[in-house]
Amino acid sequence: MIEYRTNLRQRYNHPNIVVAVASDIGTGFDWVLSYFEEQVAAGVVFSDNQLVQMGWMLVKLCQDSSGDLEVWEPIFDAVPINWTRGASTTIRHLMVQREACAQLGVEPSFPVLNQSGVVSAEFFASGKFDMEREFCEVATDSGWIFKDPQPTGGKHCSLFEIAVARPEVVPFLALPVGTTVSYDKSGIDISLGDRKISSSNNEFIARLVK
């Protein structure tokens, strides 16, 4: 693990923020600290057990024995959330979601993992699925709808629960309202109005096919 650490204690008498990142991701993730540095400079005080949104993820700040605040992130293994030290998965998700949006030529519109999506009755068991994002004024609803090929019924699940069961959806969650994604093991098609990309002609999207 590579640790990135702010210098907030000396500059602002605020606990330092520590972010550990798996070495296999690479280096140069000092930018992850910029949000915390800017907020503290503006007068914000972060505290133990506080949740902070990074991309679509929620990370938790945990005070260590020295008084610094370490970033912990969700483990995608079970519901409810278990936590682990670091931000490796958070950074991976952030990068792939930003790139998916860039391939479509749009800015990310990040939901939050504790927001809900609507899933059809057989979505979790289906190899092929469609997902589409609608406008929603309810703050707890992401606007995402997830459907199997012959959808019936529907229920609300948290995006975290959906991603634990179907991690294939994660790269597309920051795509904006109006986007539709069709996914199966043979290919992916994404459309937003007259913008269309496909795994058949887009190298990045092709890498997302399992």
Side-chain angles (χ1 to χ4, degrees):
M1 299 287 277
I2 300 172
E3 287 192 357
Y4 298 88
R5 183 184 303 267
T6 64
N7 191 28
L8 299 174
R9 191 178 300 280
Q10 182 176 351
R11 294 163 60 194
Y12 301 104
N13 195 31
H14 184 285
N16 288 325
I17 307 292
V18 182
V19 181
V21 180
S23 56
D24 63 351
I25 299 180
T27 59
F29 293 105
D30 306 76
W31 54 264
V32 175
L33 302 175
S34 61
Y35 167 78
F36 297 103
E37 293 170 338
E38 292 169 0
Q39 291 295 300
V40 172
V44 174
V45 177
F46 293 100
S47 57
D48 187 33
N49 287 319
Q50 182 173 346
L51 296 177
V52 178
Q53 183 176 355
M54 293 179 63
W56 87 291
M57 293 277 271
L58 288 175
V59 299
K60 182 166 66 171
L61 301 179
C62 298
Q63 190 173 61
D64 65 13
S65 58
S66 68
D68 290 340
L69 295 172
E70 297 180 334
V71 169
W72 287 55
E73 66 181 355
I75 305 173
F76 283 75
D77 63 350
V79 179
I81 294 174
N82 295 313
W83 301 87
T84 188
R85 181 177 182 270
S88 302
T89 300
T90 299
I91 290 173
R92 288 189 179 100
H93 286 185
L94 182 61
M95 292 192 299
V96 74
Q97 288 174 352
R98 281 178 171 172
E99 187 57 34
C101 291
Q103 295 298 317
L104 196 60
V106 297
E107 291 297 317
S109 178
F110 294 108
V112 191
L113 59 77
N114 60 358
Q115 288 182 313
S116 66
V118 177
V119 299
S120 64
E122 299 300 320
F123 166 74
F124 290 116
S126 175
K128 175 179 171 58
F129 64 82
D130 296 319
M131 50 189 287
E132 58 188 55
R133 195 171 191 182
E134 298 182 346
F135 176 75
C136 186
E137 294 183 338
V138 180
T140 56
D141 193 325
S142 68
W144 278 111
I145 301 171
F146 304 86
K147 301 182 290 187
D148 61 88
Q150 296 180 317
T152 58
K155 65 177 180 178
H156 284 271
C157 297
S158 73
L159 293 182
F160 178 75
E161 180 180 355
I162 295 167
V164 168
R166 298 301 300 263
E168 309 96 304
V169 308
V170 169
F172 314 112
L173 291 176
L175 293 169
V177 169
T179 302
T180 61
V181 180
S182 294
Y183 180 102
D184 66 25
K185 294 181 180 180
S186 63
I188 300 171
D189 295 295
I190 304 174
S191 63
L192 174 63
D194 59 358
R195 306 183 190 199
K196 300 181 187 298
I197 54 176
S198 170
S199 57
S200 64
N201 55 26
N202 183 290
E203 182 179 350
F204 174 79
I205 300 303
R207 293 201 301 267
L208 301 178
V209 180
K210 291 190 175 181

